[in-house]
Amino acid sequence: MSRVWNFSAGPAALPEEVLRQAAEEMLDWHGAGMGVMEMSHRGKEFMSIAEAAEADLRELLAVPASYRILFMQGGAIAENAIIPMNLLGDRKVADYVVTGSWSQKSQKEARRYAGVNIAATSEAGGFTSVPAMRDWQLSDDPAYVFTCTNETIGGVEYPFEPDLAQIGRAEVPVVADMSSHILSRVIDVSKYGLIFGGAQKNIGPAGLTICIVREDLLGRAMPLCPSAFDYKTVAEAGSMYNTPPTYAIYIAGLVFQWLKRQGGVAAMEARNIAKARLLYDYLDGSGFYENRVDPACRSRMNVPFFLKDESLNDAFLSGAKDAGLVQLKGHKSVGGMRASIYNAMPIEGVAALVDYMKAFAARHG
Ligand SMILES: *Cc1c(COP(=O)(O)O)cnc(C)c1O
């Protein structure tokens, strides 16, 4: 067996330790005589798995007791509809901060259910930065302000937490799509009304969506909201209103335990800073490659880059594959390359990429 360095944006690489443990437990989980995929979601074995996963996530992110953690399905794209259906309540408008492809998609979907005000957008600059909060034009009484705190495609990450108290609007709940950087850095959950994300970037397998929602926001769903997507219904049923994605929850739980063994989120953040610095410093100094994002807003998780001579793109990708470095092709809407370096990517993988890039530049420069 040989494993490659996998820079996929998602579904993405998982910690090898987690995969090994899952493989060992595949046929017989802890003496149950069956694997996790075969268990009733209401049996005591699986209930213990789900409870531990939730408790570990709560500990890792220091989620206050006034927030509920929901294990849902449908991914972040379904949440783009589920959020306005749940949070609009008796208001007319929701505010959106648009910083790239994902928040753009979110605001478009929300228009089916709510009035949408674009509070700020970095579109004029080609989505290479995050508008400062003092420039956000919030509406008078929005149901919430939507943000995507890490734009996976553009490689743009908020360099600040969207804490509306700083602009005198603490009463408005902040919603944050953290699909591609949740658990990569320390956050203050109490600054948000709702944090959500698909698991397949920085947590576990596709099929699981994690929502961390402030309790006072439950119970506002529109009558047309499907019960399985009503946060209050899901919360009251302990995320078991319908059959949850049991195996994905189990793997996510193993990842949470792995994160705790790594020293938790603050320790991961330090590693992620070192990994990102290694790659960006090389890119900036190379003269051969470039990253076009405002340096203050560069993502630590998703690093898009371009070869200055784009005619070498195919040679770059095929040489990378031969060197065991895969999934480096950029998103089709951006072009170029993209290296996603989530928690599960060790610094050795980033170093292997930089070594390859140096050798390629030396050969073709
Ligand atoms: C991947 C991604 C999505 C889409 O997630 P799905 O699980 O495919 O619905 C949405 N937002 C962000 C920030 C993402 O990275």
Side-chain angles (χ1 to χ4, degrees):
M1 183 192 74
S2 82
R3 284 178 55 82
V4 293
W5 294 119
N6 176 6
F7 296 92
S8 171
L14 284 164
E16 201 170 300
E17 261 175 70
V18 164
L19 296 175
R20 286 184 192 284
Q21 185 177 346
E24 264 168 35
E25 296 176 344
M26 177 65 79
L27 298 184
D28 180 6
W29 182 85
H30 296 205
M34 64 178 89
V36 175
M37 264 183 276
E38 307 166 292
M39 288 175 180
S40 163
H41 59 298
R42 300 193 194 281
K44 72 175 181 349
E45 288 99 345
F46 184 74
M47 294 286 274
S48 76
I49 290 171
E51 279 163 19
E54 186 183 328
D56 286 338
L57 178 59
R58 191 174 282 280
E59 180 185 329
L60 283 162
L61 285 176
V63 178
S66 55
Y67 287 70
R68 302 297 293 266
I69 294 176
L70 311 180
F71 294 140
M72 298 181 68
Q73 295 176 73
I77 290 180
E79 288 298 323
N80 286 339
I82 294 169
I83 288 164
M85 281 195 285
N86 273 275
L87 301 188
L88 191 66
D90 53 12
R91 302 224 173 37
K92 297 271 177 294
V93 174
D95 286 354
Y96 279 71
V97 177
V98 180
T99 47
S101 311
W102 287 118
S103 46
Q104 186 77 288
K105 221 183 180 92
S106 301
Q107 66 88 6
K108 282 189 182 147
E109 180 78 0
R111 286 172 196 273
R112 299 162 64 126
Y113 306 95
V116 166
N117 168 51
I118 304 299
T121 174
S122 55
E123 189 166 13
F127 293 130
T128 53
S129 64
V130 177
M133 262 196 318
R134 64 176 175 278
D135 297 327
W136 295 10
Q137 308 277 327
L138 301 195
S139 40
D140 290 340
D141 190 23
Y144 57 88
V145 177
F146 183 103
T147 61
C148 174
T149 46
N150 187 64
E151 288 280 0
T152 320
I153 293 174
V156 174
E157 183 168 15
Y158 276 51
F160 54 84
E161 282 198 270
D163 173 9
L164 295 184
Q166 289 174 18
I167 53 171
R169 298 298 298 273
E171 81 284 2
V172 182
V174 175
V175 171
D177 178 355
M178 294 197 186
S179 294
S180 52
H181 76 159
I182 189 166
L183 293 165
S184 72
R185 59 193 300 152
V186 175
I187 56 166
D188 180 352
V189 173
S190 74
K191 304 287 189 236
Y192 302 86
L194 168 69
I195 290 168
F196 73 99
Q200 73 273 21
K201 313 289 171 54
N202 210 21
I203 294 180
L208 168 65
T209 317
I210 289 181
C211 295
I212 303 172
V213 58
R214 213 173 62 207
E215 252 166 3
D216 64 285
L217 297 174
L218 301 175
R220 302 182 180 185
M222 296 174 181
L224 60 70
C225 180
S227 316
F229 292 151
D230 179 333
Y231 292 147
K232 183 162 190 260
T233 303
V234 177
E236 284 176 350
S239 297
M240 299 214 188
Y241 174 75
N242 57 340
T243 310
T246 52
Y247 199 74
I249 292 171
Y250 158 71
I251 298 286
L254 295 185
V255 171
F256 300 150
Q257 288 166 17
W258 173 81
L259 277 170
K260 285 169 67 176
R261 291 196 299 276
Q262 304 301 304
V265 176
M268 283 318 299
E269 177 168 10
R271 286 176 211 195
N272 288 328
I273 289 170
K275 281 153 53 184
R277 184 172 298 150
L278 179 62
L279 185 48
Y280 284 115
D281 281 356
Y282 172 67
L283 282 168
D284 288 344
S286 69
F288 191 87
Y289 308 94
E290 64 177 334
N291 168 278
R292 299 172 185 165
V293 176
D294 173 355
C297 304
R298 286 172 165 179
S299 171
R300 292 175 188 158
M301 297 283 103
N302 309 99
V303 183
F305 63 91
F306 298 87
L307 277 67
K308 288 190 175 168
D309 178 357
E310 296 227 85
S311 72
L312 293 170
N313 282 359
D314 289 345
F316 179 86
L317 287 167
S318 69
K321 187 158 183 282
D322 292 343
L325 308 160
V326 306
Q327 301 280 357
L328 284 164
K329 194 174 162 104
H331 190 273
K332 60 184 184 304
S333 66
V334 176
M337 309 296 155
R338 174 175 51 170
S340 294
I341 51 174
Y342 299 118
N343 284 348
M345 173 65 67
I347 196 156
E348 291 78 13
V350 181
L353 173 61
V354 169
D355 286 347
Y356 168 72
M357 290 169 73
K358 280 183 188 162
F360 186 86
R363 223 173 316 129
H364 297 276

